Structure formats: structure tokens, C-alpha cells
């Protein structure tokens, strides 16, 4: 990949653009308690997020990154349904954009890059969150965790974007905070930009060997914007 090649930049949402854990933790705590299990803390949920809502709830019920195999499908489905309701009720009031996010998206948009969102978050929650934080208009495509049969690290969403926009893998960059994002990029054959903050189950993002590692989203501009 060279800087001049990049045409499309795909972004993860939770942990990359938005710190959504405070609201997710409230909903997960309420859901687990509602089915008679111990509640969970925000600190726990920071470790549990990143693989979609079903996995988050399974981990919350298990109080562990490893989901207890003895949990019934019925219980997990009930807790997931409650979680969705409680999460909707939060109004996402505790979530906030990370520093430099809005400025960086604006600069990339003005520079003519195609911007897409590829998140494992359930699709129904994404539009409101983007509107609420004033970044909805920057994205041409918004793909949620249930847009395709498989979630990241499966590359299906990234492959779909390449096909839709008629670009090669060398022309796309995936930006994220977790190994799922970096693996999805590798599986799609495109470059990756890994952020050191966010949610990665306590593991440094550098361990997943992204092409670029950064502490701030603003550093993305140094990678893709080439001086005339």
C-alpha cells in the first residue's frame, strides 16, 4: 500500500470512534440481573465488548471472557432481548466520541475519501448513535454486525465494500481498536490502522501487527493525506 492508493477508509465504531461502554455496561448489568444473575461493572464490560451483543451477553452472564458452555440458548436469547431493550432505554447519553474524531472525519471527507462504517454492533442501534454524535453524514455505507451472516474478523463486509465501490484491496484501509478489526483487514487483504485505546480484551493492539499503530485518530491524516 502507498498513501496515494487509498480511496476507501472503513472504520470500526465502538472503541474506535465512540466510547460506548458506559451505556453498554448499564444495559448489560440490568439484563444479567433481570434473569437472576450477578450484575457486571463497567470495567468488566470494557473487556467483554468487541465481538457483538450476543457474545457480550454470554460473557456478562459467565462473568468471564470465556462463555460458560452450560448456559442455555434460551437464557442467552432472553438476556440478549432484555439487553437490547435496556440499551435502547439508555438513549446513549453516557457515550461520547473520542478526541479528534469529528475533526478527522471532516478532514478525510473534505479530502475526497470514501468513508464507511463496519461495526459488530447490532444495526438497529447504529443510525441513532451516529446522528446523535453528528457524524452520520460522513459515511457512505453503514454496516452493522447483523448486515451479513458473519461478523469481523470475517472479511465479508470489507469484501462487499470493495465489490460495491469497484476497488482493489490495496485501495482500502481498515481503522479499528481490536484484533477483530486487524484480522478482518488481513483476511480481506487490505492495510490496517490500529488504535491503542479502545477495547481489545486487555491485549496491546500492536500484538495483532496492524500496518500502522497510533494513539490518536488524528494520526490517520499523516498516513493518508499526501502533500501536493
Amino acid at each position: 500500500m502507498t498513501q496515494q492508493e487509498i480511496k476507501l477508509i472503513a472504520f470500526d465504531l465502538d472503541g474506535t470512534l465512540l466510547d460506548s461502554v458506559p451505556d453498554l455496561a448499564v444495559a448489560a448489568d440490568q439484563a444479567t440481573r433481570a434473569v437472576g444473575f450477578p450484575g457486571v461493572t463497567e470495567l468488566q464490560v470494557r473487556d467483554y465488548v468487541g465481538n457483538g451483543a450476543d457474545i457480550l451477553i454470554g460473557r456478562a452472564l459467565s462473568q468471564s471472557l470465556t462463555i460458560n458452555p452450560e448456559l442455555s440458548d434460551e437464557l442467552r436469547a432472553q438476556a440478549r432481548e432484555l439487553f437490547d431493550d435496556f440499551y435502547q432505554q439508555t438513549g446513549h447519553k453516557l457515550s461520547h466520541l473520542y478526541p479528534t474524531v469529528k475533526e478527522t472525519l471532516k478532514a478525510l471527507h473534505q479530502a475526497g475519501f470514501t468513508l464507511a462504517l463496519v461495526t459488530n454492533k447490532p444495526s438497529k442501534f447504529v443510525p441513532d448513535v451516529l446522528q446523535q454524535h453528528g457524524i452520520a453524514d460522513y459515511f457512505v455505507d453503514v454496516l452493522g454486525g447483523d448486515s451479513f451472516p458473519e461478523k469481523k474478523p470475517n472479511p465479508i463486509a470489507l469484501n462487499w465494500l470493495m465489490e460495491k465501490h469497484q476497488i482493489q484491496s490495496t485501495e482500502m484501509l481498515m481503522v479499528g481498536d481490536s484484533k477483530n478489526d486487524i484480522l478482518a483487514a488481513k483476511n480481506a487483504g487490505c492495510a490496517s490502522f490500529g488504535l491503542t485505546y479502545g477495547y481489545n480484551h486487555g491485549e496491546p493492539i500492536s500484538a495483532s501487527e496492524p500496518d500502522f499503530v497510533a494513539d490518536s485518530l488524528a494520526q490517520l491524516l499523516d498516513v493518508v493525506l499526501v502533500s501536493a
Side-chain angles (χ1 to χ4, degrees):
M1 185 202 87
T2 65
Q3 292 170 317
Q4 292 91 336
E5 280 185 295
I6 295 299
K7 294 179 180 177
L8 188 150
I9 305 174
F11 291 87
D12 174 52
L13 179 59
D14 295 346
T16 296
L17 304 179
L18 186 76
D19 184 3
S20 55
V21 159
D23 289 306
L24 292 170
V26 168
D29 181 64
Q30 290 176 317
T32 53
R33 290 177 186 276
V35 294
F37 278 61
V40 288
T41 66
E42 183 175 319
L43 195 61
Q44 285 176 294
V45 172
R46 284 194 180 276
D47 269 347
Y48 297 164
V49 297
N51 300 94
D54 287 336
I55 301 296
L56 168 58
I57 284 303
R59 287 169 171 166
L61 291 169
S62 307
Q63 297 268 313
S64 170
L65 272 173
T66 303
I67 296 174
N68 182 349
E70 295 181 5
L71 293 174
S72 70
D73 292 342
E74 292 77 13
L75 173 65
R76 290 179 61 180
Q78 180 190 4
R80 166 61 200 277
E81 189 173 336
L82 288 165
F83 167 80
D84 282 2
D85 291 341
F86 289 133
Y87 186 53
Q88 189 80 50
Q89 290 167 26
T90 67
H92 317 295
K93 291 183 178 69
L94 301 177
S95 300
H96 58 272
L97 295 177
Y98 288 105
T100 76
V101 165
K102 196 172 285 189
E103 302 91 327
T104 302
L105 292 176
K106 181 179 180 180
L108 293 170
H109 185 260
Q110 290 178 339
F113 291 96
T114 298
L115 307 182
L117 194 79
V118 180
T119 173
N120 281 350
K121 195 183 199 74
S123 297
K124 65 180 179 180
F125 297 121
V126 179
D128 284 348
V129 169
L130 297 181
Q131 287 287 352
Q132 188 171 329
H133 294 281
I135 58 174
D137 292 343
Y138 294 125
F139 299 106
V140 173
D141 297 292
V142 175
L143 305 175
D146 47 4
S147 295
F148 299 98
E150 298 289 337
K151 300 178 177 66
K152 296 175 295 183
N154 189 291
I156 187 169
L158 298 181
N159 290 337
W160 183 89
L161 286 170
M162 285 189 283
E163 185 174 342
K164 177 189 173 182
H165 294 281
Q166 292 297 290
I167 60 171
Q168 303 299 313
S169 59
T170 53
E171 298 173 307
M172 181 168 67
L173 177 66
M174 177 73 213
V175 178
D177 66 301
S178 81
K179 60 184 177 183
N180 288 321
D181 302 312
I182 308 309
L183 286 172
K186 291 178 187 291
N187 291 336
C190 71
S192 55
F193 184 96
L195 292 154
T196 56
Y197 59 80
Y199 326 133
N200 194 33
H201 315 307
E203 183 180 300
I205 195 65
S206 56
S208 298
E209 300 183 337
D211 295 278
F212 306 94
V213 177
D215 299 323
S216 166
L217 193 70
Q219 291 172 261
L220 179 58
L221 301 178
D222 298 328
V223 170
V224 299
L225 291 182
V226 183
S227 300

